[in-house]
Amino acid sequence: MKTVEEYISFLESKGFLFAEDSIGFIYFGKQYTNAPDWLVNTCIEMTLKIQKRFDGSFYVSLLESLTTQKVKNREQAIQFAENKGLFS
């Protein structure tokens, strides 16, 4: 499992560039929700796939929803997003 910092570096090595404010949103959301790294990374991934770019407010909202729903793993997080119609 990658830390948030490692995951961001991985994505940047693949060509995704994050503005400084985007990095701020990522760490704000992590601290605000007290989410584990795996959930933060999953939300970053889903935000990029759903929005086709990094949208900080979408990411924080998604992270907050998944934390509130007490998802336990990546599969549950993806299922939640699918059930909400986010991938359509």
Side-chain angles (χ1 to χ4, degrees):
M1 179 181 86
K2 290 180 171 71
T3 65
V4 173
E5 185 177 356
E6 290 169 339
Y7 189 63
I8 291 169
S9 293
F10 166 76
L11 290 173
E12 287 178 335
S13 76
K14 297 293 183 190
F16 292 99
L17 298 179
F18 292 93
E20 195 172 313
D21 64 331
S22 297
I23 302 293
F25 267 108
I26 290 169
Y27 285 102
F28 167 78
K30 177 175 172 44
Q31 185 174 15
Y32 176 70
T33 60
N34 198 30
D37 284 2
W38 70 265
L39 185 56
V40 172
N41 294 347
T42 300
C43 284
I44 294 169
E45 175 189 356
M46 288 196 298
T47 298
L48 292 172
K49 285 181 177 177
I50 294 166
Q51 300 294 92
K52 308 297 186 223
R53 62 182 177 82
F54 187 81
D55 178 331
S57 59
F58 180 88
Y59 155 80
V60 171
S61 177
L62 180 61
L63 186 59
E64 191 174 21
S65 295
L66 293 173
T67 304
T68 302
Q69 293 297 314
K70 297 180 176 22
V71 297
K72 302 280 187 242
N73 56 50
R74 185 176 184 277
E75 292 73 26
Q76 284 182 356
I78 292 169
Q79 187 64 52
F80 174 85
E82 287 175 349
N83 290 344
K84 294 291 183 186
L86 298 178
F87 286 109
S88 51

